[in-house]
Amino acid sequence: MFIRQKRNKSGVISIQIIDKSSGKYKLFKTVGSSRDPVEIDNLLARAKTELQQITGTRELDFTDTTKQIENVLNNITSHKLAGVQLVLGKIFDEIGFSKLDDPLFKDLVLYRLVYPKSKLKTTEYLYRYEQKSYSEDDIYRYMDKLYDGKKEQVQAISFQHTLKVLGGQISVVFYDVTTLYFEIDNEDGLRKTGFSKEGKHQNPQIVLGLLVGKEGYPLAYDVFEGNKFEGHTMLPMIDTFKSKYDLKQLVIVADSGLLSSQNIIDLQKGSYEFILGARIKNETKNIIKKIHALQLKNGESEILQKGDLKLIVTYSDKRAKKDKHNREKGLKRLEKRIKSGKLTKASINNRGYNKYLRLDGEVNVTIDQNKFKADAKWDGLKGYITNAKLNKEEILENYSHLWKIEKAFRIAKTDLKIRPIFHRKQKRIEAHICLTFIAYKIYKELERQLKIKKSSLSPEKTIEILQSIYQIEIYNPTNQQKIKKTILLSEEQKLLSKIFNF
């Protein structure tokens, strides 16, 4: 917008505010008309004030004296971080989380993305960079409130948005679990020792189950006791999810860690179709013989019938190379430990490459080279057990998306730093995980919008740039108004402003 003086044939000058936001000149308002030079100056002053009110900005007149400029700078009343709210806050609102109408909830979610530290550190960061004052007690009280009455609501909001993003239909879901350990000695009702995916078997832990749709968009999560077998977490969670949202048919995709005879029976009883990673080395002698008789080449796959189920076997040169590398790396690690004398009878088990160990006599632990060589015939082979009505290519294509749930866990653990968890009470542990789940939802929507806008920026880089965008507020003592201005100095900041229209 700008101010225009227009003179007619009679010499009357009209003071007008012109809008060019649509690309064309359009009369927004006529402030007044006059022939009198004094009155025209008054109209110009009034137009300038109205223009400032309309646009919310005020141009600094650098033709003023140095003293006047200093006066303007001395009237800056605040200088705070603005980029986070301008982009991540906007995405938060677009998804629908603003329905909770609680600024603290919004800040706790957004700053899990920006500054994933303890709640106390988060309050310090918010005060320092946004001048928001929350006490640690405020946060703990809110987390209790979130657990007691809001957890289901925020999951439902997230689900409805994911459903919209996926075109209004969810027919294939991906399930996996991870473990989160606590640096404490004693167990309680939730935190128990169990098999740790992080190798922290001596630490009490919890099990986190996550359900996502295609492209890794989050659907639901649940928390289980740390000693619960991961295979026993899948059916309860999927049944609840299907019932809650009245879904008619689902294809469940999960890796071999969720494969058990009972899970397959329960999935079939529930009329689910499924695609599970198969443990082909543990198949019957008859099936193993058929697998090796296939003589598959790179990129080839075949279907073997296993009762009323299908076992799909694939072969990849790339996977074979990786399998061989990992086997040899594992062998070298064992050889090094044997030389150091660190391996004992207790080390002999079927975990990882320890299966290559054997006892010679009573005390000597050696490597069984025959087992090591026999394992080579499995290099490059992978199996999938399924009852899905999809064709072979669709089954393999769907399973190939499973890595995206692994990426979700990686983001939660590295970028969002879901642990360490600085909470003792179960309701606060679960509230913390809920906040992290919602932060991951914001992350995925940011990633999606960047892709739609054809930006080469990653979500991580975008969040980094947002933390450098500030807003100043200047007090005008003449008219007692406060003027806000977002400061965009670097090309990266200006690029984000253009992408997200702020």
Side-chain angles (χ1 to χ4, degrees), residues 159 162-163 166 168-173 213 219 241 247 249-250:
F159 170 79
T162 295
L163 182 65
L166 295 177
Q169 182 179 11
I170 294 174
S171 57
V172 180
V173 296
L219 296 170
F241 174 75
L247 301 174
Q249 183 60 47
L250 288 176

Side-chain angles (χ1 to χ4, degrees), residues 320-336:
K321 186 178 179 180
K322 182 180 178 182
D323 290 343
K324 182 181 178 183
H325 171 77
N326 288 339
R327 277 188 308 104
E328 292 175 346
K329 184 179 177 181
L331 181 65
K332 288 177 182 178
R333 190 159 53 240
L334 289 176
E335 289 173 338
K336 185 177 179 180

Side-chain angles (χ1 to χ4, degrees), residues 131-181:
Q131 289 81 61
K132 294 178 178 178
S133 183
Y134 298 118
S135 71
E136 199 171 8
D137 286 341
D138 289 336
I139 290 178
Y140 286 143
R141 280 195 295 269
Y142 183 77
M143 292 181 76
D144 292 342
K145 176 182 171 183
L146 178 63
Y147 175 83
D148 291 332
K150 304 294 183 181
K151 175 184 171 184
E152 294 301 319
Q153 184 181 358
V154 297
Q155 284 204 66
I157 291 169
S158 175
F159 170 79
Q160 291 300 330
H161 183 266
T162 295
L163 182 65
K164 181 181 177 182
V165 166
L166 295 177
Q169 182 179 11
I170 294 174
S171 57
V172 180
V173 296
F174 304 82
Y175 182 75
D176 203 356
V177 300
T178 193
T179 54
L180 303 171
Y181 71 92

Side-chain angles (χ1 to χ4, degrees), residues 271-482:
S271 299
Y272 291 107
E273 292 184 38
F274 56 84
I275 306 167
L276 303 176
R279 299 190 186 105
I280 52 178
K281 294 180 185 179
N282 297 338
E283 287 292 349
T284 63
K285 289 181 179 180
N286 185 42
I287 293 288
I288 289 175
K289 186 177 179 180
K290 289 181 179 179
I291 290 172
H292 291 302
L294 292 173
Q295 297 290 305
L296 297 174
K297 292 181 174 59
N298 185 44
E300 292 183 343
S301 59
E302 286 291 343
I303 297 176
L304 298 176
Q305 206 62 37
K306 185 181 176 184
D308 57 349
L309 302 176
K310 292 179 289 188
L311 175 64
I312 301 176
V313 182
T314 67
Y315 175 82
S316 160
D317 282 342
K318 184 178 179 181
R319 189 187 301 126
K321 186 178 179 180
K322 182 180 178 182
D323 290 343
K324 182 181 178 183
H325 171 77
N326 288 339
R327 277 188 308 104
E328 292 175 346
K329 184 179 177 181
L331 181 65
K332 288 177 182 178
R333 190 159 53 240
L334 289 176
E335 289 173 338
K336 185 177 179 180
R337 292 176 68 195
I338 286 176
K339 287 179 181 178
S340 69
K342 293 180 180 180
L343 287 179
T344 65
K345 290 181 184 180
S347 304
I348 298 177
N349 53 52
N350 285 322
R351 289 180 184 170
Y353 297 108
N354 284 356
K355 62 189 175 184
Y356 298 147
L357 298 175
R358 72 180 181 190
L359 273 179
D360 280 351
E362 290 295 325
V363 292
N364 292 329
V365 178
T366 62
I367 292 173
D368 189 334
Q369 293 290 342
N370 290 330
K371 277 189 178 181
F372 175 76
K373 292 174 183 176
D375 241 10
K377 64 184 179 183
W378 295 101
D379 288 353
L381 291 170
K382 187 167 179 59
Y384 313 87
I385 194 79
T386 182
N387 68 342
K389 298 181 180 70
L390 305 170
N391 62 44
K392 184 175 67 173
E393 286 69 30
E394 289 172 326
I395 291 169
L396 296 177
E397 194 272 333
N398 274 300
Y399 192 90
S400 70
H401 288 279
L402 194 58
W403 68 269
K404 291 174 182 174
I405 197 169
E406 295 171 357
K407 180 184 177 185
F409 283 135
R410 187 169 65 253
I411 291 168
K413 290 185 177 183
T414 56
D415 297 297
L416 306 181
K417 292 183 172 59
I418 194 170
R419 69 153 313 280
I421 300 175
F422 300 99
H423 302 290
R424 177 177 55 83
K425 295 181 179 180
Q426 178 174 343
K427 62 168 58 179
R428 290 179 183 170
I429 291 171
E430 293 206 31
H432 169 80
I433 291 171
C434 180
L435 292 170
T436 307
F437 174 83
I438 301 305
Y440 174 67
K441 173 67 180 178
I442 304 290
Y443 177 100
K444 285 299 296 182
E445 179 59 12
L446 172 63
E447 181 182 65
R448 188 184 76 87
Q449 291 195 16
L450 286 168
K451 186 176 180 180
I452 289 173
K453 298 171 191 291
K454 295 181 171 56
S455 171
S456 61
L457 291 171
S458 68
E460 293 83 0
K461 184 63 177 177
T462 300
I463 292 170
E464 182 184 324
I465 298 169
L466 291 177
Q467 292 179 78
S468 69
I469 297 177
Y470 284 80
Q471 185 183 79
I472 61 171
E473 184 179 82
I474 304 173
Y475 174 70
N476 185 346
T478 304
N479 56 16
Q480 289 80 49
Q481 289 183 342
K482 289 183 177 179

